[in-house]
Amino acid sequence: MNLFADIRALVLTNLAAMVEAGELPADLATQNVTVEPPRDAAHGDMATNAAMVLAKPAKMKPRDIAEVLAKRLAEDDRITSAEVAGPGFLNLRLAPVVWQGVVGAVLEAGTDFGRSDLGAGKKVNVEYVSANPTGPLHVGHTRGAVFGDALASLLDFSGHDVTREYYINDGGAQVDVLARSVYLRYLEAHGQEVAFEDGTYPGDYLIGVGEQLKAKVGDALVGKGEQFWLAEVREFATDAMMDLIRDDLSALGVKMDVFYSEKSLYGTGRIEAALDDLRSKGLIYEGVLEPPKGKKPEGWEPREQTLFKSTDHGDDVDRPVMKSDGAWTYFAPDIAYHYDKIQRGFDALIDVLGADHGGYVKRMKAAVSALSDGKVPLDIKLTQLVKLFKDGQEFKMSKRAGTFVTLRDVVDEVGPGVTRFMMLTRKNDAMFDFDLDAALEQSKENPVFYVQYAHARVTSVLRKANEAGVAVDHATLAGADLSKLDHEAELALAAKLAEWPRLVETAARTNEPHRVAFYLYDLAGVFHGLWNRGNELPELRFLQDDTATSQAKIALARASAVVIAAGLGILGVEPAEELR
RNA sequence: GGACCAUUAGCUCAGCUGGAUAGAGCGCUGCCCUCCGAAGGCAGAGGCCAGAGGUUCGAAUCCUCUAUGGUCCGCCA
């Protein structure tokens, strides 16, 4: 149920009736007609721009159209008043029974309230995290993980068939570096003195891996040349790193459907197949790139390479897929990987990447556009940097990794729920200063607490009602006489709940899960507002002398908790039953 | 030199893809807690939506240019 969609349908029906009655010309385009909550509540419950949108094509004055439409709409039981305002807005006030009905609908649907079929079962692949398997996840990955996971849940909630996927970059030079680093730790485990030079990973997290390797192979690899051990150690080390990463993800509550290995693209003809596809479209050629202007890279010299003609699909320059020495660039397996996603039948692809991959967006979109003949849209969401603050200072050091703050550091500080919620209190493409102390504070300043507190208050009301002998089981509340909810403050809370389905659709359409977090904060604010007014107006308290009245009010509270739980569910946060 | 992102109240940020008098939290000012639902509440001040053009009934939102900040730009992934 989506109240705004219902009322919009009502508006469209009446517009059609006006055409029928000769009050409007036929064949008017109505797709721009909207029904939305007005910014200023004084304007009413809902507003439609229908008259203004149609005025020009109908060659009529907006206010004239609005007058007629108002008269017709007012005949519907759900509408108590329809007033023309401003340049031609039509402000609608809805009957209390409509808002009361929202409460009933929430209780009936439970946390499925707001689920929509917007996605129509479309298969969407959301790729996120995809950190190199060379160490533990750090803060930047954490933001990507939270964002991607919440986005996936949001799309699922809005009717998409979602696959959560992690691309393991286990095919490039960085895993050789990893293997060499682990080998050094392995020698160390055998009591040798080793030096970590530039180009190796010195982090402590590899010590254990070196010891495990020793436990597995003994001294079989000691003193051998790289050609004897590189492949074996590489596999051992990347497996160990992926275990580490999986543990990190699960500490955050992220669960992937698919882990896709880059390595599996090599030697299997899949890269070649993807490039053949592009070649057959005339998009692969041998050529020489111009040097970047302004700044001349040192030692730049013109070189012939195999290039993808990405400029045909909106990129600024063509991109190399093969280096001059005949090896693939990193771009080639990425093309093959996305080719594979397309062949797996996804209707839409989403990549969640760190902002440092910004330069990569156009070429990847170009590749997907070319490979799918423009049929599969690829949306790339970039997550900006996160700066952590603790005790008023930037929080930089990690006990584990030595050089960067890990996901574990953050989760250990504030817990997975707070981490997830806080990471979504900012748009993905805005930088984020994350204050760890503020995230644990119990005040209105802290959005996580504020939302959780609202949920906990409802739990507390239910408990108190039980103690007072008022039945508040699900069936009783669902059958409560909601017409007793007649105060403006109560109806306002119900109206806020009515926005939830609409918000889900907007957030899903824009791939912006942060909107859910902001909505929850808003909703909690309205709930707390009602609660607080109970201080001065005893009739607004949830527990009343009259059982039926209590049950109606508690139904409203319960409905609020249900929507909060649904929203937190999308964000991957457990709702709190009580706060201590 | 170019690409992408950002720029909204003193500070940190939203702004529902073009709607009415631009919102929230913090901070600031004033009022309110013997007790009954104050881990607070109510009210107020505070804005050239970075700047300049354009598009139209209507722009913080779309287009162009400029400024500032960030990220990136073959032989790393």
Side-chain angles (χ1 to χ4, degrees):
Chain A
M1 131 168 214
N2 181 341
L3 199 53
F4 294 89
D6 293 350
I7 300 299
R8 179 169 184 270
L10 178 67
V11 168
L12 294 182
T13 306
N14 279 281
L15 289 174
M18 286 170 68
V19 171
E20 193 76 18
E23 293 161 351
L24 272 179
D27 300 326
L28 291 176
T30 55
Q31 72 268 19
N32 288 333
V33 172
T34 61
V35 171
E36 47 193 17
R39 287 232 169 105
D40 187 344
H43 290 131
D45 299 319
M46 290 193 186
T48 177
N49 61 356
M52 288 184 293
V53 171
L54 299 179
K56 199 171 185 185
K59 297 196 173 78
M60 294 170 67
K61 288 181 185 165
R63 292 191 66 107
D64 292 347
I65 299 175
E67 295 287 354
V68 180
L69 182 59
K71 202 166 286 178
R72 287 178 170 277
L73 286 172
E75 284 170 21
D76 193 279
D77 290 342
R78 288 171 283 181
I79 311 281
T80 53
S81 83
E83 284 172 21
V84 183
F89 279 102
L90 193 48
N91 292 328
L92 307 176
R93 281 176 203 284
L94 302 183
V97 66
V98 175
W99 304 124
Q100 292 155 1
V102 171
V103 174
V106 173
L107 291 178
E108 192 180 326
T111 47
D112 282 337
F113 178 75
R115 242 180 220 285
S116 93
D117 55 1
L118 178 78
K122 276 201 301 186
K123 285 184 67 176
V124 181
N125 182 291
V126 185
E127 181 206 328
Y128 55 110
V129 191
S130 297
N132 288 343
T134 54
L137 298 179
H138 57 68
V139 201
H141 298 132
T142 308
R143 188 173 188 186
V146 168
F147 176 85
D149 206 50
L151 174 57
S153 298
L154 175 64
L155 292 174
D156 176 78
F157 197 70
S158 56
H160 300 79
D161 177 5
V162 179
T163 298
R164 299 157 194 255
E165 191 152 321
Y166 185 118
Y167 180 56
I168 309 171
N169 287 109
D170 54 3
Q174 77 281 0
V175 284
D176 289 344
V177 174
L178 173 73
R180 290 185 193 108
S181 308
V182 167
Y183 185 73
L184 289 175
R185 291 299 187 188
Y186 165 77
L187 295 181
E188 209 174 40
H190 280 282
Q192 296 194 18
E193 290 265 329
V194 296
F196 288 88
E197 298 175 5
D198 280 357
T200 56
Y201 302 130
D204 290 351
Y205 58 90
L206 292 180
I207 295 174
V209 182
E211 284 166 357
Q212 287 159 29
L213 183 60
K214 178 187 169 191
K216 187 186 172 203
V217 304
D219 60 1
L221 304 178
V222 175
K224 296 275 174 59
E226 191 172 291
Q227 67 273 24
F228 292 105
W229 53 261
L230 186 65
E232 182 182 352
V233 175
R234 189 170 53 208
E235 190 175 337
F236 184 82
T238 51
D239 284 352
M241 290 302 101
M242 284 312 296
D243 285 345
L244 188 68
I245 287 170
R246 266 183 268 254
D247 284 351
D248 281 353
L249 288 174
S250 86
L252 196 60
V254 173
K255 199 163 179 296
M256 295 286 175
D257 297 314
V258 175
F259 284 88
Y260 194 100
S261 161
E262 175 194 357
K263 208 170 56 182
S264 72
L265 297 165
Y266 291 93
T268 52
R270 289 156 113 167
I271 295 176
E272 293 77 2
L275 292 179
D276 280 348
D277 184 280
L278 293 178
R279 192 171 283 113
S280 72
K281 290 166 179 159
L283 295 171
I284 298 288
Y285 69 101
E286 302 296 318
V288 179
L289 285 176
E290 294 288 313
K293 283 177 184 149
K295 158 196 142 193
K296 280 177 196 130
E298 294 208 12
W300 192 92
E301 51 189 75
R303 227 168 260 167
E304 190 174 83
Q305 295 172 300
T306 306
L307 299 168
F308 163 47
K309 205 171 178 202
S310 54
T311 48
D312 270 14
H313 288 267
D315 202 357
D316 306 308
V317 289
D318 293 339
R319 306 291 178 175
V321 294
M322 192 182 274
K323 301 177 205 167
S324 50
D325 66 2
W328 299 118
T329 63
Y330 66 88
F331 186 38
D334 283 351
I335 290 173
Y337 173 46
H338 284 78
Y339 184 59
D340 184 79
K341 288 190 201 174
I342 292 166
Q343 292 200 317
R344 277 187 275 156
F346 290 105
D347 299 304
L349 305 179
I350 299 175
D351 290 358
V352 178
L353 303 174
D356 54 341
H357 289 68
Y360 175 80
V361 171
K362 282 192 178 183
R363 79 188 65 170
M364 206 61 246
K365 285 192 174 181
V368 169
S369 169
L371 290 166
S372 73
D373 298 313
K375 291 197 182 85
V376 178
L378 168 67
D379 190 12
I380 298 184
K381 306 296 275 189
L382 300 178
T383 57
Q384 277 289 351
L385 289 171
V386 180
K387 267 193 204 170
L388 290 166
F389 290 85
K390 194 179 182 230
D391 303 326
Q393 298 212 329
E394 194 169 348
F395 183 51
K396 280 184 164 158
M397 292 307 275
S398 162
K399 284 153 252 149
R400 290 189 184 82
T403 50
F404 52 85
V405 184
T406 65
L407 178 150
R408 286 305 182 111
D409 292 329
V410 178
V411 171
D412 287 352
E413 286 286 332
V414 300
V418 170
T419 303
R420 293 182 68 125
F421 196 104
M422 290 304 293
M423 289 277 181
L424 291 164
T425 55
R426 203 114 315 171
K427 278 183 296 203
N428 58 292
D429 49 12
M431 287 204 285
F432 179 35
D433 289 345
F434 186 176
D435 185 334
L436 294 170
D437 304 313
L440 290 176
E441 218 167 90
Q442 301 209 336
S443 74
K444 191 171 184 177
E445 220 175 321
N446 178 356
V448 197
F449 165 77
Y450 197 60
V451 171
Q452 291 285 28
Y453 188 30
H455 190 271
R457 272 181 157 172
V458 175
T459 309
S460 145
V461 166
L462 292 172
R463 194 175 54 236
K464 289 235 169 92
N466 259 321
E467 287 165 12
V470 177
V472 288
D473 57 284
H474 183 266
T476 305
L477 291 184
D481 176 10
L482 297 173
S483 69
K484 292 186 182 301
L485 294 174
D486 52 4
H487 193 281
E488 143 284 308
E490 293 165 338
L491 298 178
L493 178 52
K496 195 72 202 174
L497 298 177
E499 286 179 28
W500 172 237
R502 184 169 176 273
L503 183 114
V504 167
E505 295 202 349
T506 305
R509 229 191 309 272
T510 53
N511 293 333
E512 292 181 341
H514 76 274
R515 290 176 190 270
V516 173
F518 280 92
Y519 169 79
L520 291 178
Y521 184 74
D522 261 10
L523 172 58
V526 177
F527 178 83
H528 289 308
L530 175 61
W531 181 287
N532 290 326
R533 287 186 68 178
N535 289 326
E536 295 193 358
L537 300 176
E539 68 267 29
L540 284 182
R541 298 182 187 180
F542 292 99
L543 273 171
Q544 300 288 326
D545 293 337
D546 174 55
T547 301
T549 306
S550 294
Q551 285 165 339
K553 290 176 186 295
I554 292 169
L556 173 63
R558 175 83 191 124
S560 307
V562 165
V563 171
I564 288 173
L568 288 177
I570 289 173
L571 306 185
V573 179
E574 283 297 316
E577 300 302 320
E578 60 177 339
L579 296 172
R580 280 177 297 138

